[in-house]
Amino acid sequence: MRLQLSALMLALGAGAGLSAIAQTCQPTAITPYINVDGQWTRTASATIKTGASAILGPQPVSGGTWSWSGCGTVGASREQTIQPAGACTATATYTNSCGAKTQQAFSINVGTWASAKFGGGGYVTGLIFHPTTKDLLYARTDVGGAYRWDASSSSWIPINDGFTAAEGFHHGVESIALDPTNDQRVYMVTGMSASADPTARLYISTNRGGTWTSVNLPFSAGGNNNGRAIGERLSVDPNNPSILFYGSRTAGLWKSADSGRTWAQVTSLSSTKLTADQINALGGQVMGVEMLMFDTSTKGSGSATAVLWAAIAPDYVNAAGLSSNLYKSVNGGASWTPVSTPISGYHIPHMVRAADGTFYVLFTKGAGPGDPGPGRLYRFDGSNGSNWTLLNSNDSAGYGGLSVVGTGSTARIALGVSGTWGNYSGQQIIQLSDDGGRNWREIAATMPHTPADDGFSGWIDDVEIDPANRDRVLHVTGGGVWETRNASSSTPSWNFSVNGLEETCTLSLATPPAGASYTLINSSGDVGTWVHTDLATKPTLSPYKQWSNGNSADMAWSDPNYIATANVTSMSTSHTGTGYWSGDGGRSWAAFARLPAGAVANTNHASNLAVPARNRVVWAPADSVPSYTTDNGANWTATNLPALASVGIPRSYRMVADRKNPNKVYAYDSGGAWWTYTQAKVYVSTDGGRNFTLSQGSVSANMRFAPWGSSSMAVNPNVEGDLWVADGLALYHSVDSGATWTKLNHFSSIWNGRQDWFGPEVAGASIVALGKAKPGASYSAAVYVIGVINGVWGVWRSDDGGNSWTRHNDDAHQYAGLGVMAADQGRYGRVYAGGSCRGVVYSN
């Protein structure tokens, strides 16, 4: 036998022979564990305090060898004690006894950046389970990135917090796909809105989202467009996982044969690419090819799956001249045949193939979210279209979510009824069948929900049965994820599964003076204004706890119990501006008796206000002349500030009250847009915000013209007349109430070839905030700026009045850019920030 083997190796060549033997050696799975503060947790990511240590201790504990890289790891010991100075990734490589290697990445965050708890708050558009690895679950959102479920802590871990400021557009996640043969590998296609331009991007991770590489795609994606729960549009061939398909909105079906690095259009289905005019004619809401499904139950054979199914939206059927919204290929996509469907002109938002080859197909009239119907669910035997069985229908609501486990007469089917609202007997939210669709029962409406006051109906556009536990059912809504673990019960109990999932879009933050009864005022889109008294618990103090936008809030510095807010509430299909005030720190509220001119109709987030003292408010509605009140909103009078010219996007004066002298109020006009070529200006009032005078010093300083969200003004609360402006490109400082200004030259934008009128890719200095000074510092406040120094974007801190700067965040905490920030007045080193709809994050 030994001679025969030697002869074979000589015949093949030693390398070929060893390769052939190695193919029989299977890698060993790694189970990650991290010890923080003496507590072992099964996880691959952790946050440790600055200067603290952690122990990495993956398993198996014996039978192979270990090697390490990153985070200061060294040597071959299985357990590694690390004490990194900043965020880092450690990679463990385990080589088992037969020579197969497995890698596991550990993502370590340093410092105490954390989320101010709100819980949910935005639309989770899809839930993706790994088919074989228990509890490996991902959630994608429309504007707030993606998350991975951590069963050990029963919480969601954000997996995009390292995205840079230039990647805000890619916080809209349109689709996620998992490699069924490698549970470390995850793919994610991003892009906030669809267009005729190739703006989508594929992110690839080999460590469950711990780190990413990216590939620009030759089409666009619409993570925040209508129909954003359709799919999954991205799919991995289970037999040959280097093959990926993507159903694009505007350019048909695409294929990659090299794990996503390069892509080609599947022209055998259609070579049609929608033009900008075609997309505009559809209102920008195009659906295209909605998904591709592999007709197989095998995995890892190495051969490409031959039989494929493609679901196609009505808009692309019409544009491409196709004859059906379902097509089949029996040769891996080389050619396609239309399949006769029982309904035409409908969307197919989800399609499931059971293990026995049976297909379950949803048809719904609209693309969603929250399609009002009609909707139909059919079973299909996979033939050429003659064998469809209707399982469920609804003429008054659409169907969004679909999940199936098991086969035949005992298949469990969960069906999400998308366009219904409310909780009452007879309502349909989640329909469940345990006999393959013959009989149905409602398992969500009128069932126990915790918390009971959170809305859980509407936008049920994805529902998933845990493949490892058929009693665990999850569904999405416009506000997060609901989950039951006892679906078989006659009265399943549901919990709002949003621990760690923060998807509010922060529009404004305000911090009170030290010693106030609250910590922070958070004004956000969709969820309104909230007063935080404990960052670790969901806030309860709000002027309006239904759907609303919170645009701005401020408090009287000498009496922080007096709070004023500028809000937007929903009035049927329109929105209306409103405002509230509280005299007791947010425990009770009243609407302003009257509103200033422009506040009702001009509701954009640029609307803002400042409070010089109790009962005194200066309010600048978007695109309006600011007004003031001295009697708590009983009467409003226009200021003498000049009207702002329209620039095509909303603009406003940014109002700021001097914290040492309530008679001084400052107004900052940013110029409105990058293309206006109208210099920014500062105006100063010395009579409490009634009359303003242009600061000629600000004109002489030649401040840059910039949009509302790329510029800001802040005051030093400890010194009268101490002002700071971030004009989008640079930082300016005045110590004489705006009479003269000094430009600080530390900050500079990242342009990457962009034209001046379009604005930089990353603003040089966009947000400035001042907080409690470092003990013994030469300047009376810590200055924080969101911007770019030496080509590095970040939150930068100065303790000496802007002479020197230190980066306050790190690469693991970039949050795809930050658009608002406030600093704590009682705790040095703490800032609160928001941006890219990742909720409110804060530092120590």
Side-chain angles (χ1 to χ4, degrees), residues 2-328:
R2 183 179 302 164
L3 291 175
Q4 292 174 345
L5 179 58
S6 298
L8 177 63
M9 292 180 68
L10 287 171
L12 295 175
L18 290 174
S19 177
I21 294 172
Q23 289 177 8
T24 67
C25 179
Q26 298 298 314
T28 302
I30 295 176
T31 304
Y33 285 90
I34 302 177
N35 186 318
V36 178
D37 295 331
Q39 179 68 43
W40 283 102
T41 302
R42 180 177 173 178
T43 183
S45 63
T47 297
I48 62 176
K49 296 179 180 179
T50 302
S53 61
I55 305 172
L56 312 179
Q59 295 183 4
V61 297
S62 61
T65 60
W66 294 89
S67 62
W68 291 85
S69 65
C71 288
T73 55
V74 65
S77 298
R78 177 180 66 86
E79 291 191 0
Q80 296 280 321
T81 299
I82 60 172
Q83 191 177 14
C88 59
T89 298
T91 302
T93 302
Y94 178 70
T95 305
N96 64 17
S97 57
C98 68
K101 296 180 183 294
T102 308
Q103 285 192 329
Q104 172 68 53
F106 292 83
S107 178
I108 305 299
N109 294 329
V110 177
T112 51
W113 281 91
S115 292
K117 189 174 182 64
F118 186 86
Y123 185 26
V124 177
T125 53
L127 299 167
I128 304 94
F129 273 102
H130 193 274
T132 59
T133 300
K134 187 177 186 295
D135 285 328
L136 184 52
L137 168 65
Y138 294 82
R140 59 180 171 93
T141 74
D142 53 359
V143 291
Y147 293 78
R148 186 184 68 248
W149 176 252
D150 182 52
S152 63
S153 61
S154 296
S155 64
W156 295 95
I157 297 173
I159 56 177
N160 304 133
D161 283 356
F163 276 28
T164 67
E167 294 175 286
F169 184 78
H170 297 286
H171 236 213
V173 182
E174 185 169 70
S175 192
I176 288 177
L178 310 179
D179 186 337
T181 68
N182 179 359
D183 67 6
Q184 297 293 312
R185 195 169 186 88
V186 55
Y187 299 93
M188 180 170 64
V189 171
T190 65
M192 200 70 73
S193 57
S195 68
D197 299 320
T199 56
R201 185 173 291 174
L202 174 70
Y203 286 87
I204 305 168
S205 175
T206 58
N207 52 18
R208 298 186 180 180
T211 57
W212 299 93
T213 58
S214 65
V215 175
N216 290 328
L217 295 173
F219 47 82
S220 66
N224 195 34
N225 283 132
N226 289 347
R228 49 198 182 271
I230 286 173
E232 294 295 314
R233 293 177 177 271
L234 180 63
S235 54
V236 180
D237 190 332
N239 286 321
N240 185 345
S242 63
I243 295 176
L244 282 67
F245 283 89
Y246 198 80
S248 78
R249 289 176 177 264
T250 64
L253 181 65
W254 291 75
K255 178 182 178 180
S256 171
D258 55 8
S259 300
R261 289 187 292 274
T262 61
W263 292 79
Q265 189 184 36
V266 183
T267 56
S268 54
L269 179 64
S270 175
S271 60
T272 299
K273 298 179 181 178
L274 299 183
T275 66
D277 287 343
Q278 288 174 303
I279 294 169
N280 291 336
L282 293 166
Q285 304 297 329
V286 290
M287 302 303 133
V289 177
E290 296 177 317
M291 75 192 76
L292 180 132
M293 179 159 290
F294 300 95
D295 190 355
T296 181
S297 293
T298 59
K299 184 177 70 173
S301 69
S303 299
T305 300
V307 180
L308 314 172
W309 301 82
I312 305 166
D315 54 21
Y316 195 74
V317 168
N318 294 331
L322 301 175
S323 58
S324 176
N325 64 333
L326 185 63
Y327 273 73
K328 179 180 181 180

Side-chain angles (χ1 to χ4, degrees), residues 570-638:
S570 175
M571 299 292 288
S572 184
T573 58
S574 63
H575 303 150
T576 183
T578 189
Y580 301 92
W581 65 276
S582 172
D584 54 12
R587 291 184 292 275
S588 62
W589 297 85
F592 281 112
R594 292 183 176 86
L595 296 179
V600 173
N602 298 334
T603 58
N604 184 268
H605 70 280
S607 302
N608 72 110
L609 50 74
V611 177
R614 178 179 274 267
N615 299 333
R616 292 167 53 188
V617 180
V618 186
W619 190 332
D623 299 304
S624 304
V625 172
S627 296
Y628 67 90
T629 180
T630 58
D631 53 15
N632 201 26
N635 297 281
W636 294 88
T637 304

Side-chain angles (χ1 to χ4, degrees), residues 774-786:
K774 182 178 181 179
S778 59
Y779 184 64
S780 58
V783 185
Y784 302 90
V785 172
I786 295 173

